[in-house]
C-alpha cells in the first residue's frame, strides 16, 4: 500500500517597494487515491488568527493514509496584514485596494493586493471546492456564509456544521449596497462565479485563539472532507438555523460610548424594536442613541468595542429562513 504525502512550498506573492519578497507557505497533502482538490486558506485578514490555528491542528490530525484527493492549505494568505495584526493594509502598501478580500481573482499587474490574490488564484483555480477561514469582531456567533441558491456550497456549509448558516445574495440578486461595497471581489464570490463551490466560515472573533472555536473549526474542516468523499465516514446530522445575511446592520447614528443592553445573547431571536444598547455622550452622560433591532431576526454579532463613531456597526441581525 502506498502512503499519502505532505509537502510544503514557499511561494512569492508579490514584492514590497524595497524589493523584499512577500512570501507564504502552501501545504500540499496528497492522498493514496484519486479524488477532488480542496483549497483552504486562513488569515487573508491577518488579525483573524483562529483559522491559522485550525490549519495547524488539521495538519497534525489529517489521516493521510485514508485521504482521497488533494488538500491545498495556506495558513497565512496575507502575511502583511498578519504582521500588522490588522484587517486591511495601510496606504503605503496598497492605496487602491486596502482590503484583500475585495480584489479576487486578482490581477498580476495590479496593486499589491491584486498581485497577491492573482498568485494565490493560480493555485485556487485548480480546486474543486474552497474554504476561506475568517473571524469577525467581538462578539460574533460562529457561522458559515455561502451563496444563496448555490446548493453545492450550501452542502459544504452544512457539513462544516456551525449552528447558524448565513446565505448571501450575490450578483444580480444582490442589493446595490453589496455592489458598492465591493463584495463581488470576495474570494468566495469570485470562486462561485467560476463554478467552484465555496464557503466562508466565520470562527468567532479575531486576535485571540479561542479553544472551542478552533476545535469546531478542525471538526468542520474534516467534515467538509467527508462531504466531498475525501475522507471516509458520514457527515453528522445537526440542528441548525438557516438565515439570510442582510446588509442593513444596526449602526451607530451618533458617536460616543456604546453600552450593549445587558442580557443580550448571541444566537437569540430578537423581535423588531428589541433594545440593543445605548450610545452615550461620555462627558455629559447624555444618551445620544437608543439602538434597537430594525427587524425580526437572529442576533449574531454585537460590538464590544465601546468607543464608537457614527456609522460603526453595533449589531448584526440575520433574517431567519428555515429553522
Ligand atoms: Zn475576514
Amino acid at each position: 500500500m502506498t502512503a499519502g504525502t505532505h509537502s510544503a512550498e514557499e511561494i512569492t506573492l508579490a514584492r514590497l517597494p524595497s524589493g523584499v519578497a512577500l512570501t507564504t507557505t502552501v501545504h500540499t497533502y496528497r492522498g493514496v487515491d484519486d479524488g477532488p482538490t480542496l483549497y483552504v486558506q486562513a488569515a487573508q485578514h491577518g488579525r483573524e488568527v483562529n483559522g491559522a490555528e485550525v490549519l495547524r491542528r488539521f495538519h497534525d490530525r489529517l489521516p493521510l493514509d485514508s485521504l482521497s484527493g488533494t488538500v491545498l492549505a495556506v495558513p497565512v494568505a496575507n502575511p502583511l496584514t498578519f504582521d500588522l495584526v490588522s484587517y486591511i493594509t495601510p496606504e503605503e502598501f496598497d492605496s487602491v485596494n486596502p482590503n484583500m478580500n475585495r480584489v479576487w481573482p486578482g490581477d498580476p499587474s495590479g496593486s499589491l493586493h491584486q498581485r497577491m490574490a492573482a498568485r494565490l488564484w493560480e493555485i485556487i483555480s485548480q480546486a474543486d471546492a474552497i474554504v476561506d477561514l475568517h473571524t469577525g469582531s467581538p462578539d460574533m456567533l460562529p457561522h458559515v456564509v455561502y451563496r444563496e441558491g448555490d446548493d453545492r456550497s450550501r452542502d459544504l456549509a452544512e457539513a462544516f456544521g456551525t449552528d447558524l448558516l448565513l446565505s448571501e445574495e450575490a450578483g444580480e440578486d444582490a442589493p446595490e449596497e453589496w455592489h458598492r461595497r465591493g463584495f463581488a471581489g470576495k474570494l468566495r464570490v469570485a470562486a462561485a462565479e467560476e463554478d467552484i463551490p465555496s464557503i466562508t466560515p466565520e470562527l468567532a472573533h479575531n486576535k485571540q485563539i479561542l479553544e472551542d472555536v478552533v476545535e469546531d473549526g478542525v471538526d468542520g474542516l474534516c467534515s467538509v472532507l467527508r462531504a466531498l468523499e475525501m475522507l471516509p465516514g458520514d457527515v453528522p446530522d445537526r440542528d441548525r438555523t438557516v438565515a439570510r445575511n442582510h446588509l442593513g446592520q444596526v449602526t451607530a447614528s451618533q458617536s460616543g460610548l456604546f453600552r450593549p443592553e445587558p442580557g443580550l445573547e448571541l444566537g437569540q431571536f430578537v423581535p423588531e424594536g428589541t433594545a440593543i444598547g445605548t450610545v452615550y455622550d461620555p462627558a455629559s452622560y447624555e444618551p445620544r442613541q437608543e439602538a434597537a433591532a430594525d427587524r425580526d431576526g437572529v442576533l449574531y454579532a454585537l460590538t464590544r468595542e465601546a468607543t464608537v463613531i457614527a456609522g460603526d456597526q453595533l449589531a448584526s441581525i440575520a433574517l431567519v429562513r428555515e429553522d
Side-chain angles (χ1 to χ4, degrees):
M1 182 179 141
T2 50
T5 61
H6 164 256
S7 61
E9 182 194 3
E10 189 169 77
I11 63 164
T12 298
L13 297 172
R15 284 189 186 276
L16 298 178
S18 60
V20 166
L22 199 55
T23 67
T24 198
T25 301
V26 182
H27 293 266
T28 301
Y29 307 87
R30 282 191 205 290
V32 277
D33 293 313
D34 290 343
T37 296
L38 172 69
Y39 174 85
V40 52
Q41 70 170 29
Q44 66 161 318
H45 297 136
R47 68 183 184 183
E48 301 179 11
V49 296
N50 276 323
E53 175 67 2
V54 165
L55 290 180
R56 189 182 71 81
R57 292 191 203 178
F58 174 77
H59 172 88
D60 288 342
R61 261 182 240 172
L62 178 64
L64 271 180
D65 291 339
S66 40
L67 176 68
S68 301
T70 304
V71 179
L72 303 167
V74 177
V76 184
N78 188 337
L80 210 50
T81 53
F82 191 93
D83 287 344
L84 294 163
V85 200
S86 71
Y87 177 65
I88 56 173
T89 299
E91 191 180 24
E92 286 79 1
F93 294 114
D94 195 326
S95 60
V96 187
N97 298 294
N99 186 342
M100 187 181 183
N101 204 23
R102 301 291 180 268
V103 305
W104 297 94
D107 177 349
S109 52
S111 75
L112 186 78
H113 272 153
Q114 287 176 318
R115 286 168 197 243
M116 292 164 67
R119 179 67 188 90
L120 287 171
W121 187 259
E122 290 175 30
I123 300 164
I124 294 168
S125 54
Q126 308 163 23
D128 300 298
I130 293 171
V131 177
D132 186 19
L133 298 166
H134 286 253
T135 73
S137 304
D139 266 353
M140 181 177 268
L141 191 69
H143 62 272
V144 182
V145 190
Y146 66 97
R147 184 177 181 141
E148 177 129 334
D150 178 347
D151 290 342
R152 291 192 301 159
S153 297
R154 179 179 163 137
D155 287 347
L156 298 182
E158 288 195 353
F160 198 91
T162 51
D163 291 339
L164 178 67
L165 307 182
L166 291 185
S167 66
E168 184 183 276
E169 291 178 312
E172 288 175 1
D173 298 330
E176 184 269 335
E177 189 186 355
W178 187 91
H179 292 279
R180 184 159 42 78
R181 291 173 64 180
F183 286 1
K186 291 180 183 178
L187 171 57
R188 176 174 49 77
V189 176
E193 285 297 317
E194 295 297 314
D195 219 21
I196 308 173
S198 52
I199 55 171
T200 311
E202 295 275 358
L203 300 174
H205 61 261
N206 54 46
K207 295 186 181 174
Q208 300 174 13
I209 288 178
L210 301 172
E211 196 59 31
D212 292 357
V213 170
V214 169
E215 282 300 307
D216 287 349
V218 179
D219 289 346
L221 196 51
C222 289
S223 192
V224 164
L225 265 73
R226 284 186 201 102
L228 293 167
E229 297 184 350
M230 297 174 71
L231 284 179
D234 294 325
V235 177
D237 252 338
R238 301 182 185 87
D239 290 335
R240 64 180 61 80
T241 299
V242 178
R244 178 189 276 175
N245 199 2
H246 82 96
L247 295 164
Q249 319 280 4
V250 180
T251 54
S253 61
Q254 303 292 330
S255 302
L257 267 184
F258 175 63
R259 181 197 183 221
E261 192 63 27
L264 276 182
E265 278 190 35
L266 292 183
Q268 82 178 69
F269 182 83
V270 289
E272 182 179 348
T274 302
I276 297 295
T278 306
V279 178
Y280 289 97
D281 180 327
S284 71
Y285 314 141
E286 283 297 314
R288 285 185 173 153
Q289 178 189 1
E290 301 289 352
D294 62 340
R295 62 196 68 200
D296 299 350
V298 176
L299 178 71
Y300 71 95
L302 185 62
T303 190
R304 297 289 175 187
E305 290 168 14
T307 310
V308 297
I309 55 171
D312 276 356
Q313 184 180 306
L314 302 177
S316 305
I317 299 163
L319 304 170
V320 177
R321 314 300 301 283
E322 306 160 31
D323 257 325

